[in-house]
Amino acid sequence: MDKKDLSERDIITKFLIPGIQKAGWDIKTQIREEVFFTDGRIFVKGQKTVRGERKRADVILYYKPNIPIAIIEAKDNKHSIGAGMQQGLDYAAILDIPIVFSSNGDGFLEHDSTLSSGRIERTLDLDNFPSPEELWEKYKKFKGIKTHAQETIISHDYFFDGSG
């Protein structure tokens, strides 16, 4: 199998998700693929309105449900490892997420807005993806969560039954 012949979707399924799971991420509760997070811009032309394209992240990682802490933008292997970074950074700005990864299936380029490692970008092997706890610590730094009480409040599970 030549990686260059694979689609972006194949790269995610065959290379990225296994590496992320190996780092301790739960596929059922912490990893969401092809996440639409906007409805698209509304354009008005005379009496007509048209909705623009919806924004969709390839992968969003959640520490807990409703707490997104990282975005992964993938490209096929004909692109460089960092080809999805600008798109990921744009999405991260909208969603207020500090960590962005870009990948073409050869590894990950990490952009860390928290500067936790002392640098903003670093390249990681597919087998060296950060654990949920590592990214949670960076997220807490980014959000200014310093005390156990603050962490308890921000990470508290909440439920909405639709009434009220």
Side-chain angles (χ1 to χ4, degrees):
M1 166 179 62
D2 185 2
K3 211 184 271 188
K4 298 262 188 245
D5 294 333
L6 298 176
S7 69
E8 179 180 297
R9 171 82 350 240
D10 289 333
I11 294 292
I12 293 169
T13 302
K14 295 177 190 306
F15 297 98
L16 306 190
I17 297 300
I20 296 165
Q21 286 181 287
K22 184 178 176 187
W25 293 86
D26 185 323
I27 190 80
K28 293 178 183 171
T29 61
Q30 294 181 304
I31 303 169
R32 287 190 55 211
E33 298 179 54
E34 297 187 358
V35 181
F36 285 100
F37 60 90
T38 67
D39 288 332
R41 194 172 173 184
I42 296 174
F43 297 95
V44 179
K45 295 180 182 180
Q47 297 293 324
K48 291 185 176 185
T49 59
V50 177
R51 190 169 290 278
E53 217 174 298
R54 298 165 64 190
K55 294 196 183 300
R56 178 189 56 82
D58 291 327
V59 179
I60 297 183
L61 300 178
Y62 296 80
Y63 184 69
K64 293 180 81 174
N66 299 314
I67 304 178
I69 61 174
I71 291 177
I72 302 171
E73 277 305 310
K75 297 296 177 198
D76 64 36
N77 198 254
K78 294 175 186 124
H79 291 85
S80 70
I81 193 170
M85 185 56 73
Q86 188 57 56
Q87 183 179 2
L89 290 170
D90 292 345
Y91 293 170
I94 293 167
L95 296 170
D96 197 27
I97 295 175
I99 311 294
V100 176
F101 295 93
S102 177
S103 182
N104 66 354
D106 289 339
F108 293 96
L109 178 63
E110 177 189 44
H111 182 97
D112 178 2
S113 298
T114 70
L115 294 171
S116 294
S117 66
R119 56 184 183 224
I120 198 155
E121 287 190 348
R122 66 181 177 151
T123 303
L124 304 168
D125 294 334
L126 289 173
D127 292 335
N128 290 327
F129 197 82
S131 70
E133 291 73 28
E134 289 175 73
L135 293 189
W136 177 240
E137 290 304 314
K138 291 180 180 190
Y139 179 85
K140 290 190 309 185
K141 180 179 179 182
F142 179 75
K143 293 290 187 173
I145 301 166
K146 295 179 180 156
T147 67
H148 180 69
Q150 289 172 321
E151 182 175 355
T152 300
I153 290 168
I154 192 74
S155 64
H156 183 73
D157 291 333
Y158 69 91
F159 301 93
F160 178 69
D161 64 7
S163 64

